[in-house]
Amino acid sequence: MNKPIIPSHWQRWAPRPAWVAGALLLAGITLTLLAWRAAVSEVERGAASQFETNVKEMRLAIRERVLAYESLLRGGASLFAALPEVSRDAWRAHIQGVVEMGRNYAGIQAVGFVQMIPREDLAAHIHGARSEALLDYTVWPAGERARYSTVFYIEPFTETNRRMLGYDMSTDPVLRAAMDQARDTGAPMASGKHSLQGEDANQHPGFVMFVPVYRYGAPLRGDLVEDRRAALVGYVFSPCRVDKLIESAAPREMRDIKVEVYDGRAIAAPALLYDRASAPTAGGRFMQLTTLEVSGLAWTLRFGSTPAWEAAIAYDRPRIVLIAGGLISLLLAVAGWSFAVTRSHSRDLKNHQDRLEDLVRERTAELTVAEQKYRSIFENAVEGIYQTTPEGQYLTVNPALAHMLGFDTAAEMIAARNATEGYVDPQQRLEFKRILEERGNLQGFISQAYRRDRSKIWVSLSARAVRDATGTVLYYEGTAEDVTDRMLAEENARHLIREEAARQEAEASRGEIAAAHEQLKTWVGELEQNNRAMARLGEMVGLLQSCITAAESRDVAANQLRQIFESDAGALYLFEPERHMLELAANWGQAPPRSGLFGADDCWAMRSGRQYTVEGDAGGLRCRHVDEDCAAYACVPLIAEGVALGLLHIRCAADRSIEQRRPFLHIVAENLALGLANVRLREALRAQAIRDPLTGLYNRRFMAESIEHELDLAARRSDSLALVMVDVDHFKRLNDSLGHEAGDTVLKEIAAFIGAHIRSSDLACRYGGEEILIILPDTGLEAAQGFAEKLRLGVRAIELHAAARAIGPVTISLGVAAFPEHGQSTAALLRAADTALYRAKAQGRDRVVMAAN
């Protein structure tokens, strides 16, 4: 009978693997449950931390959004601080330029200006507002008050916002408290809870923020409340909806978190400003109460988690721990079961390990022999061998390289030398690195290097870049060969070749010196002529920079071109884009142009957009605007910033080549085109600055400057000056019934009629809306009245049409005032003319009324 394979003492313990496996499984499951509980606790701590982070981010986002509102209102207040007077149009342009309500400033319903009106100025204030086409404007609620805080400007001018015009905000105690605090502190201040009407006609909780506006140029002494109250002229304000503010400020991860906002520091139903009704706050696992104070706001914020937010908590890790722990427990049990079998293989593994150790010792001995061979080659090589970092630090060098560069030992060279210091020309080191970076290796790179004693030698370098797995250069390695003798021999050979070439050239050049001398004289003459022309060109450029009008620029160009091309004939044409024609502006020389007007397609230069020349002997296509007997000419288009401005046409004298003058003609044309373009640009900018874009009349800013000038001139000369204020009757009704296009047509036609019937010394300006002011220098009261009556009758006779539809008779009312009868200042004369116009309206319109003395 065979002996059993398992020893007898193992047979007695045969059940032990099962016991070990059971014990390991039980221990593994116990540890797994403990780890799962710890993972769950960690996830819940992370969720609590995330909830707190979300609350902080939400609070910070709300604060930043309120500060953005504050910054917007400060910008509006700075407009009043920068200008002595801010018109309704200027306010609208400012708000439209900086605000996109729905996107950048969610929650803001409007941005407006509250004007402080003393009781004695109320009637004039209402009249001034109605003269700006706000015919139904009034201050409300009605009642006698010492001062009124009325909404005068508001943008955007929607129907909902329009209803706020004239509202006296001081009648609301909540708003008045915020306004008084902003006035006395000079800082932005937000009101308490206030109901705002939205575009949906529903009431929404919100607040109103105020920034005080003080009188332009008023001195404010420190923090004196008396100075601020005396200088106050109004407030820049903005009504803000809290629901849109909160929803726009909420990050995406906050959408499932319950948010409540209360005005003040107490949680009470009447103070509730916002409530995101996603789930009851009390039922959440996480809740936090915090406060927010900014710009006068004092809010209490309450946040709570909802079932949707809590459902997003990731319990993946605890599940992974539970599953992995179970699997590991099973694996441990299997490992314990197989432990007995594994021990039987341990001796085989020990034998295998012994064989591996013997193999390692054999390979180590072989590597030692190879290292000794490499070291022998490295130490005894005739050429220099090196390794350096990309920064030039030597890692290893052999004795041959050290002796080549004047060092006694390799160690001495590594300690004292950097590769970048050895190049005579530092640019060669950069070129060496560039080639290695791009190609990875180089051969025969010749450069000059310094030896230790600063003497110079020529070396030929070969190298390669050694990189790691990521492609980063670790070091350079290569060889260096001293090629000084070879380079000196090549230089001597080149020197001998140069000497021989110089001798032969000297013999050949003796016969050419005389001819070169004559050619040189010719060149000197041409150079002097070119210098004169370039000086005149510079003078022309300077004069063009000084021109104000296009007519001046044409005169300057014509005069200077005659001097620049004094020995040539030519012409300057200006391009008319409407007709696509070129018109003669100036010509000079013996050959007059064939025509003073021709199409742009008749010139090859204008077609191609570049210089076009024709030489007599070379032939070629000829431009149709050039005479057949013209042998040689050049056409150069005048183009600036891609826009065609004109054409320069030059005909050279018979002894001069037109082709040789191409560079100079290009320079002249380029500078001339830039000069003409600059003058056109200045004219256009001036027209935009002083003209009203709709009517073409002078704008109100130019009117203010002009009337002051004319009034000073009349006072010095003891002359008279008259003002005629014109207003279109029933203009609002015309706009409402026929549309704004018809209203624009009426204004343009009346402005054109007035412009055609005034003197060149008179000025017609758009005063505002449908009002036009006419300034009549050196005109008395009676003459101004007669002129106004002619205008009234003439406008009444105009037949107006809009969109192929007759508008009907349009009438105007006119108020006339004169200097010195009705005032000595601009403000007094304007007030007198405006009052006279108001009387004409009150007396039935379509009439001329003189100002009262």
Side-chain angles (χ1 to χ4, degrees):
M1 188 174 190
N2 294 330
K3 293 183 179 181
I5 298 175
I6 302 176
S8 58
H9 62 277
W10 278 38
Q11 291 181 7
R12 293 195 303 270
W13 292 96
R16 180 173 294 180
W19 299 345
V20 173
L24 290 175
L25 181 61
L26 179 61
I29 292 175
T30 302
L31 292 175
T32 298
L33 292 175
L34 293 174
W36 172 79
R37 182 65 256 176
V40 170
S41 299
E42 182 179 357
V43 168
E44 292 182 347
R45 285 195 299 273
S49 176
Q50 180 63 37
F51 180 79
E52 182 177 358
T53 300
N54 290 344
V55 168
K56 290 180 180 178
E57 291 177 352
M58 181 67 175
R59 183 181 180 278
L60 179 60
I62 296 173
R63 177 182 177 84
E64 290 178 349
R65 187 56 56 91
V66 174
L67 291 178
Y69 297 169
E70 177 183 318
S71 177
L72 172 63
L73 297 189
R74 286 183 184 273
S78 66
L79 181 65
F80 286 90
L83 299 175
E85 180 181 355
V86 178
S87 66
R88 192 177 303 277
D89 292 337
W91 178 256
R92 180 178 294 112
H94 171 75
I95 296 303
Q96 291 176 350
V98 301
V99 177
E100 188 176 351
M101 298 294 182
R103 182 176 301 174
N104 300 335
Y105 298 94
I108 287 185
Q109 293 193 174
V111 181
F113 172 64
V114 172
Q115 185 172 351
M116 305 300 295
I117 310 298
R119 179 168 51 197
E120 58 271 15
D121 294 341
L122 180 61
H125 169 75
I126 295 175
H127 170 63
R130 291 178 178 177
S131 66
E132 296 183 15
L134 302 174
L135 300 182
D136 56 350
Y137 177 84
T138 187
V139 175
W140 60 281
E144 290 288 335
R145 294 180 285 279
R147 298 188 77 182
Y148 300 84
S149 306
T150 63
V151 177
F152 195 50
Y153 296 158
I154 189 164
E155 293 294 333
F157 203 60
T158 62
E159 186 61 31
T160 301
N161 292 336
R162 179 187 175 90
R163 289 196 289 269
M164 292 182 64
L165 283 178
Y167 175 58
D168 185 358
M169 288 192 167
S170 63
T171 59
D172 189 311
V174 175
L175 301 183
R176 183 182 182 91
M179 294 164 64
D180 291 345
Q181 193 171 0
R183 174 200 62 195
D184 294 344
T185 62
M189 198 63 57
S191 70
K193 180 180 179 180
H194 189 75
S195 293
L196 303 175
Q197 182 174 354
E199 295 295 338
D200 55 1
N202 294 326
Q203 298 294 323
H204 302 275
F207 61 92
V208 181
M209 184 176 289
F210 297 92
V211 173
V213 176
Y214 300 103
R215 186 172 58 253
Y216 176 77
L220 299 176
R221 296 171 296 173
D223 294 329
L224 291 181
V225 175
E226 294 79 5
D227 287 356
R228 298 186 183 278
R229 293 181 177 180
L232 182 72
V233 297
Y235 302 87
V236 176
F237 77 97
S238 176
C240 307
R241 283 177 53 175
V242 176
D243 55 350
K244 290 190 175 181
L245 184 153
I246 301 299
E247 290 166 5
S248 65
R252 184 176 299 276
E253 58 270 16
M254 292 287 291
R255 301 302 165 86
D256 292 328
I257 292 180
K258 171 77 171 181
V259 182
E260 295 176 356
V261 181
Y262 296 88
D263 185 25
R265 302 182 181 278
I267 296 179
L272 181 64
L273 289 170
Y274 176 78
D275 180 10
R276 180 187 291 161
S278 57
T281 303
R285 296 172 60 186
F286 304 100
M287 187 172 67
Q288 184 168 343
L289 193 68
T290 183
T291 60
L292 174 66
E293 295 184 6
V294 58
S295 300
L297 294 174
W299 288 353
T300 298
L301 309 177
R302 183 161 67 178
F303 301 89
S305 63
T306 65
W309 190 88
E310 294 169 3
I313 300 175
Y315 285 97
D316 295 340
R317 184 177 178 185
R319 284 193 288 269
I320 292 173
V321 168
L322 189 61
I323 295 171
L327 293 176
I328 291 173
S329 299
L330 290 175
L331 291 175
L332 286 174
V334 173
W337 177 263
S338 62
F339 175 72
V341 179
T342 304
R343 288 193 61 183
S344 65
H345 300 293
S346 61
R347 284 190 298 273
D348 295 338
L349 292 176
K350 182 64 172 65
N351 295 333
H352 183 64
Q353 180 180 359
D354 293 340
R355 288 196 297 272
L356 287 178
E357 290 177 354
D358 293 339
L359 182 61
V360 168
R361 283 192 292 272
E362 293 175 2
R363 293 292 183 265
T364 302
E366 293 175 357
L367 289 175
T368 302
V369 173
E371 172 67 18
Q372 292 173 351
K373 291 181 180 179
Y374 164 77
R375 178 54 58 184
S376 175
I377 295 172
F378 182 79
E379 296 291 338
N380 300 315
V382 177
E383 292 184 339
I385 303 174
Y386 61 90
Q387 285 183 338
T388 71
T389 65
E391 293 76 24
Q393 178 64 44
Y394 282 107
L395 301 175
T396 58
V397 298
N398 68 341
L401 182 60
H403 297 156
M404 184 188 304
L405 296 178
F407 292 91
D408 294 332
T409 64
E412 181 184 9
M413 178 178 169
I414 292 174
R417 189 71 172 268
N418 187 288
T420 58
E421 301 170 354
Y423 288 83
V424 174
D425 183 3
Q427 293 298 323
Q428 288 190 318
R429 173 64 181 179
L430 299 178
E431 179 67 12
F432 175 83
K433 292 181 64 177
R434 184 189 66 80
I435 294 174
L436 284 179
E437 291 289 339
E438 292 179 358
R439 303 178 186 174
N441 62 80
L442 57 77
Q443 298 287 335
F445 184 82
I446 304 298
S447 65
Q448 202 170 18
Y450 286 116
R451 301 181 81 247
R452 185 180 186 182
D453 58 1
R454 304 304 291 175
S455 60
K456 302 174 184 178
I457 63 172
W458 289 94
V459 294
S460 175
L461 301 176
S462 297
R464 73 183 187 98
V466 179
R467 304 175 185 269
D468 61 11
T470 64
T472 304
V473 176
L474 298 176
Y475 56 88
Y476 303 145
E477 64 180 12
T479 62
E481 178 185 0
D482 186 351
V483 294
T484 303
D485 294 339
R486 189 183 76 191
M487 295 299 292
L488 291 177
E490 292 177 356
E491 180 61 27
N492 289 334
R494 286 193 294 269
H495 179 68
L496 293 175
I497 292 172
R498 284 197 298 268
E499 286 184 347
E500 179 62 22
R503 185 185 63 78
Q504 295 178 2
E505 183 178 356
E507 292 179 355
S509 63
R510 290 190 186 97
E512 301 174 358
I513 292 177
H517 179 69
E518 294 299 325
Q519 183 65 39
L520 183 61
K521 289 172 62 179
T522 302
W523 288 345
V524 168
E526 292 180 355
L527 182 60
E528 291 176 350
Q529 184 176 0
N530 288 338
N531 288 339
R532 291 195 301 271
M534 290 301 291
R536 290 168 180 163
L537 175 60
E539 183 180 354
M540 180 183 72
V541 172
L543 291 173
L544 286 176
Q545 291 295 328
S546 303
C547 292
I548 299 177
T549 64
E552 288 183 354
S553 65
R554 285 194 297 269
D555 294 339
V556 167
N559 182 57
Q560 294 298 316
L561 289 173
R562 288 188 181 93
Q563 299 181 46
I564 293 173
F565 299 102
E566 57 186 353
S567 60
D568 303 315
L572 172 65
Y573 297 89
L574 296 181
F575 181 58
E576 297 183 6
E578 297 83 1
R579 298 191 296 168
H580 201 62
M581 302 287 285
L582 288 161
E583 185 176 4
L584 181 67
N587 68 286
W588 61 92
Q590 298 299 321
R594 180 179 180 180
S595 173
L597 185 68
F598 60 88
D601 292 337
D602 292 340
C603 179
W604 286 104
M606 294 298 293
R607 287 194 194 183
S608 62
R610 57 179 180 269
Q611 187 175 160
Y612 185 76
T613 60
V614 172
E615 290 280 8
D617 297 336
L621 296 173
R622 300 175 62 85
C623 298
R624 288 198 294 267
H625 66 92
V626 181
D627 297 330
E628 293 294 336
D629 57 353
C630 179
Y633 70 90
C635 290
V636 189
L638 304 180
I639 299 175
E641 297 183 356
V643 178
L645 302 175
L647 177 72
L648 179 62
H649 177 74
I650 299 297
R651 302 182 183 185
C652 284
D655 59 342
R656 306 183 68 183
S657 170
I658 192 72
E659 191 66 28
Q660 294 179 355
R661 307 206 70 191
R662 286 179 67 95
F664 179 69
L665 292 176
H666 175 74
I667 294 173
V668 173
E670 186 178 58
N671 284 274
L672 179 57
L674 288 175
L676 295 176
N678 287 337
V679 173
R680 286 192 180 185
L681 179 60
R682 285 195 292 272
E683 275 192 326
L685 292 176
R686 176 171 173 79
Q688 292 175 5
I690 66 175
R691 292 284 185 179
D692 175 60
L694 175 63
T695 62
L697 302 178
Y698 292 110
N699 58 23
R700 187 162 183 169
R701 182 176 64 181
F702 184 78
M703 178 211 74
E705 298 175 356
S706 300
I707 196 170
E708 289 287 350
H709 171 73
E710 294 295 342
L711 189 60
D712 291 343
L713 193 62
R716 288 198 304 270
R717 296 179 177 177
S718 298
D719 287 341
S720 56
L721 174 70
L723 300 183
V724 178
M725 187 75 76
V726 182
D727 185 84
V728 182
D729 296 333
H730 302 295
F731 185 75
K732 183 179 184 304
R733 186 172 64 190
L734 186 148
N735 256 342
D736 294 341
S737 60
L738 298 180
H740 291 287
E741 181 179 356
D744 292 345
T745 300
V746 169
L747 286 179
K748 288 190 285 188
E749 291 293 337
I750 293 177
F753 179 82
I754 293 175
H757 288 79
I758 61 176
R759 303 169 298 181
S760 60
S761 60
D762 300 336
L763 298 173
C765 312
R766 187 176 183 185
Y767 188 69
E770 68 273 21
E771 292 185 348
I772 298 173
L773 180 70
I774 306 173
I775 305 171
L776 303 173
D778 196 20
T779 302
L781 191 59
E782 294 183 2
Q785 183 181 11
F787 169 76
E789 184 65 24
K790 290 180 181 179
L791 285 183
R792 184 185 70 82
L793 296 175
V795 169
R796 189 170 187 176
I798 297 175
E799 295 183 1
L800 298 174
H801 296 81
R805 178 181 177 184
I807 296 177
V810 176
T811 61
I812 58 175
S813 299
L814 303 96
V816 181
F819 168 84
E821 292 90 338
H822 301 120
Q824 303 290 325
S825 66
T826 299
L829 287 176
L830 289 173
R831 187 164 52 251
D834 190 54
T835 304
L837 175 62
Y838 189 77
R839 288 170 50 207
K841 292 282 189 180
Q843 294 174 13
R845 298 181 173 83
D846 190 18
R847 64 193 62 224
V848 178
V849 173
M850 307 288 291
N853 291 330

